[in-house]
Amino acid sequence: MGRTRNAVLSLLAVVLVWVLPIAAQDGSSGGAPTAVPASRQADNVAIITIKGPITAITELSVKRRIKNAEDSGANAMVFEIDSPGGAVGAVLAISGAIKASSIQNTVAWINPQAYSGGAIIGLACREIVTTNPASFGDALLILQTPFGIAPPTATERTKMLPPLLSDAVDSARRNGFDEYLAQAIGTDGIELWAVRDAQTGDWLFINEIEYSMLFDGEPPRSRPVLAGVPEGATREDSIAQMREEAEAEQAGRDSDEDSDEPTGEDDTGSDDADLPPAKPIEPVDPARAFRPATPELADLFAESGEVSPLAATTRPQLSESDRGRYVDPVYVCDGTAAVVLSHADFVRFGLSSATINNDAELQSFFGAKNMTRTNRSWSEHLVSFLTLTPVRGILIVVFLLGLFIEMTSPGMMLPGGVALGALVALLAPPALIGMAGWWEIAAIGIGICLILIELLVLPGFGVFGILGLVALFGGLVGTFIPDGSGGLFPDTRDAQTDALFGVTTVVLAVAASGVGVYFIAKHFGTIPFVGKLVLSEAGVVPTDEERVDPELAAAAPPVTTGPRVGAIGEATTPLRPSGSVEIDGDVVDAVADGAFIEAGVRVILLERRGFSWVVEPTGGQTDSESIDSSGEAEA
């Protein structure tokens, strides 16, 4: 009996030895997992996609979908990221929304790339999974201008970088990522090595000072795992330059602190006068303070006054006593570029929780029963399209052309409707995402009203016309600037860049519409379909039957009702270039051909354009004279 029992137990042991590894292998390849950690397991998973450039519209969309996931009872959220990055403000807002969500079971699925802002959002999630291949990192600050990409100035870097790095480090601490590596993703100038904890097997990223505490001799610097040397520079040159600048700045600060003598200089006149005032420094728990990976970042944070408390750090404070605990040093990056990690890097350093290539593997990763994928809505796609700078430029051209045609040919309705539709498409999307406030819309409305007064009530080109054009221009430019950024005179570089985009777009649109106005005014009656809307000289819209062959029209008797080409009249208002002319007791709309015409000057009708007559001064002819359409004078 005892032998039989022992034989059965031995057989079970053999089965377990062979079957369990096979089952585990099947689970890792996308089959049903053998076990899912309780902290990760979720029955209902919401997949929120983040594709393409990250903008204010992306921010609104992601926040909406997070709210929907919370309301629908999801107990896990996956942020599927395929993005080159985007606006810093939108990125930080999305990161904050993820960390503030009631659903804390969050996973970033890098499928296949998360650069710049996409990487910052990925760090905000509790776990990261990657496809194979995948790319992650390089959140180096850049500025997009109408003339291309530009690096930030020293002042801009001081103002913009600390909030970005603070968020990245806070995310790393919350979710167990290495905070030095998070800093190296957000900026250059950070040289790192990776060492493995001999007790736990976990990797820790360290700087040169910490390396000297753990190991003897010079740290290895050949063939960094994440090499990125800018063209025309060597690693040694870059590192040496950064250290020299840091030492020079520190020496200057030390000399200022040690000197008790007044310098005799007014601090308000220094080069740093444009810097924002430093925030009042309050005591911060050391465990929640920012720990810079390099002295340069310490100086940067001290200069910016960025002291917001972060999540408590779990990173060890290394010392000489840790010698022997960390082994296998690996040179990771030389600091000449922001860090970019591949799928292989994630696997090597244990940063990725799993390799996920499709939805089935993702569902197995959570042990989920239901998964719901949520993308941008059609309305969000439409708003995103309508807020593209080239599209907005085209809408401005359409609006100005429609407004011109409606004002010069009142009653047609169609051009006015097109102009109104273009204006709504121009203003509504920016208003939804906070790019257009009440003052921009009011300025555009006031500008249109002033132009109408100038054309219809007080014809001529005077004060109302000029003020109307200025208000219209300012309102259109203002729709490119985020609301609350200082109006037409923004005080931040981002808002100033937006204003530059706005001015450039509006100027180009006005120039294009000016060309369109010229051709429309010259060939208005011959434009297909539009020509059918133009009144004939008798004031009636001609029918298709009345549009006969030109030779037949020449043989037909001339129309004798109403003004005709060659008639003499008098300008009742200044024509600069549009106004009114009186012909035989009838007042008609007119446009001066060439130089402006003052009120009271006798004019001759040259041709009909739409609802207006083109006129020029008579040149001293008497009231009894008129000129027929052939150009010959008769009594």
Side-chain angles (χ1 to χ4, degrees):
M1 186 68 178
R3 292 181 179 178
T4 303
R5 183 174 57 191
N6 292 338
V8 171
L9 292 175
S10 300
L11 180 61
L12 288 175
V14 171
V15 170
L16 290 175
V17 168
W18 286 96
V19 172
L20 286 180
I22 295 175
Q25 183 178 0
D26 290 340
S28 65
S29 62
T34 56
V36 176
S39 60
R40 180 193 302 155
Q41 197 282 326
D43 291 334
N44 302 306
V45 178
I47 303 176
I48 298 174
T49 59
I50 301 178
K51 306 260 184 200
I54 299 169
T55 64
I57 301 167
T58 311
E59 173 192 342
L60 293 178
S61 176
V62 171
K63 287 181 176 179
R64 174 187 64 82
R65 288 180 280 167
I66 290 176
K67 180 67 165 55
N68 289 345
E70 294 171 339
D71 294 341
S72 65
N75 40 25
M77 289 189 298
V78 175
F79 294 88
E80 183 181 356
I81 304 174
D82 181 12
S83 173
V88 174
V91 167
L92 296 181
I94 293 173
S95 174
I98 293 173
K99 290 185 280 191
S101 174
S102 60
I103 302 175
Q104 291 297 297
N105 188 5
T106 56
V107 172
W109 183 13
I110 313 305
N111 185 21
Q113 63 178 18
Y115 289 114
S116 193
I120 299 299
I121 293 173
L123 290 173
C125 298
R126 196 177 66 179
E127 292 185 275
I128 296 177
V129 298
T130 59
T131 59
N132 187 13
S135 297
F136 179 96
D138 190 8
L140 197 65
L141 286 173
I142 57 173
L143 298 176
Q144 185 76 36
T145 72
F147 312 107
I149 295 175
T153 64
T155 301
E156 291 163 351
R157 189 172 183 270
T158 300
K159 192 171 185 178
M160 298 167 61
L161 187 57
L164 184 71
L165 292 184
S166 295
D167 184 83
V169 169
D170 179 73
S171 297
R173 292 178 178 180
R174 289 169 180 262
N175 303 317
F177 305 121
D178 190 282
E179 58 185 271
Y180 276 13
L181 182 64
Q183 295 177 47
I185 288 173
T187 186
D188 55 5
I190 298 178
E191 190 178 22
L192 293 179
W193 289 259
V195 293
R196 187 170 56 83
D197 189 325
Q199 300 175 8
T200 65
D202 296 333
W203 288 91
L204 178 69
F205 292 82
I206 62 175
N207 57 25
E208 185 175 2
I209 296 175
E210 293 175 321
Y211 185 95
S212 64
M213 295 179 182
L214 302 178
F215 304 98
D216 295 325
E218 288 292 321
R221 282 195 169 96
S222 61
R223 296 184 180 180
V225 174
L226 308 175
V229 179
E231 183 178 356
T234 64
R235 182 199 59 76
E236 291 78 5
D237 293 339
S238 178
I239 298 298
Q241 181 179 0
M242 288 187 291
R243 287 177 176 168
E244 289 175 1
E245 292 175 353
E247 291 173 359
E249 292 177 1
Q250 186 61 44
R253 291 189 181 92
D254 292 342
S255 62
D256 292 339
E257 293 173 357
D258 295 339
S259 176
D260 295 328
E261 296 296 328
T263 60
E265 296 179 356
D266 185 1
D267 291 340
T268 59
S270 67
D271 293 338
D272 295 334
D274 294 334
L275 288 175
K279 300 177 183 178
I281 299 178
E282 300 177 357
V284 177
D285 181 357
R288 296 183 177 274
F290 180 85
R291 292 186 178 181
T294 64
E296 292 84 354
L297 288 182
D299 295 339
L300 178 69
F301 272 70
E303 188 174 1
S304 70
E306 182 65 42
V307 292
S308 301
L310 310 177
T313 185
T314 58
R315 191 177 192 279
Q317 288 275 27
L318 299 181
S319 64
E320 298 283 346
S321 62
D322 292 308
R323 282 177 174 262
R325 177 177 176 179
Y326 294 94
V327 296
D328 302 333
V330 177
Y331 189 36
V332 176
C333 59
D334 58 14
T336 56
V339 160
V340 175
L341 300 165
S342 67
H343 168 74
D345 299 322
F346 268 93
V347 173
R348 177 176 186 176
F349 296 115
L351 302 173
S352 175
S353 297
T355 301
I356 305 294
N357 291 311
N358 52 56
D359 286 5
E361 295 178 4
L362 186 65
Q363 186 168 358
S364 176
F365 178 74
F366 284 98
K369 298 177 181 177
N370 305 299
M371 284 203 318
T372 303
R373 181 181 298 276
T374 59
N375 302 311
R376 275 187 180 181
S377 65
W378 68 268
S379 58
E380 290 165 347
H381 277 292
L382 179 61
V383 171
S384 180
F385 174 75
L386 292 177
T387 51
L388 293 175
T389 300
V391 174
R392 301 191 71 194
I394 293 173
L395 288 174
I396 294 174
V397 172
V398 172
F399 164 68
L400 294 177
L401 290 179
L403 187 65
F404 166 77
I405 296 174
E406 186 63 36
M407 287 182 174
T408 55
S409 302
M412 291 184 65
M413 301 300 294
L414 179 61
V418 172
L420 180 61
L423 184 61
V424 171
L426 191 63
L427 295 181
L432 291 175
I433 61 175
M435 293 290 289
W438 65 268
W439 78 265
E440 294 96 334
I441 298 175
I444 293 174
I446 292 173
I448 295 174
C449 291
L450 291 175
I451 293 174
L452 287 173
I453 292 174
E454 181 71 27
L455 292 176
L456 304 178
V457 181
L458 301 172
F461 193 80
V463 176
F464 287 99
I466 295 175
L467 292 178
L469 292 176
V470 171
L472 183 60
F473 183 87
L476 291 174
V477 171
T479 62
F480 288 79
I481 307 171
D483 194 26
S485 297
L488 286 177
F489 306 98
D491 54 359
T492 65
R493 176 58 183 267
D494 283 346
Q496 291 169 356
T497 301
D498 292 333
L500 182 58
F501 268 107
V503 171
T504 304
T505 303
V506 173
V507 168
L508 292 177
V510 169
S513 60
V515 175
V517 164
Y518 171 78
F519 282 101
I520 289 175
K522 189 173 182 64
H523 306 288
F524 188 80
T526 62
I527 299 176
F529 178 72
V530 175
K532 296 183 179 182
L533 302 178
V534 180
L535 294 181
S536 66
E537 294 188 3
V540 180
V541 177
T543 64
D544 291 338
E545 290 77 9
E546 293 172 330
R547 297 181 182 277
V548 297
D549 185 85
E551 295 182 0
L552 296 178
V559 178
T560 58
T561 59
R564 61 188 180 86
V565 173
I568 301 297
E570 181 178 305
T572 58
T573 66
L575 276 68
R576 303 179 181 175
S578 61
S580 301
V581 172
E582 183 178 355
I583 305 291
D584 296 331
D586 295 329
V587 178
V588 298
D589 293 330
V591 179
D593 183 35
F596 294 155
I597 301 174
E598 299 295 335
V601 175
R602 286 176 296 174
V603 296
I604 180 173
L605 274 59
L606 299 179
E607 62 174 321
R608 185 69 175 268
R609 290 183 187 171
F611 287 90
S612 301
W613 285 93
V614 179
V615 301
E616 69 177 5
T618 60
Q621 296 175 350
T622 63
D623 291 339
S624 62
E625 293 178 331
S626 65
I627 299 178
D628 62 15
S629 59
S630 65
E632 298 178 353
E634 59 182 22

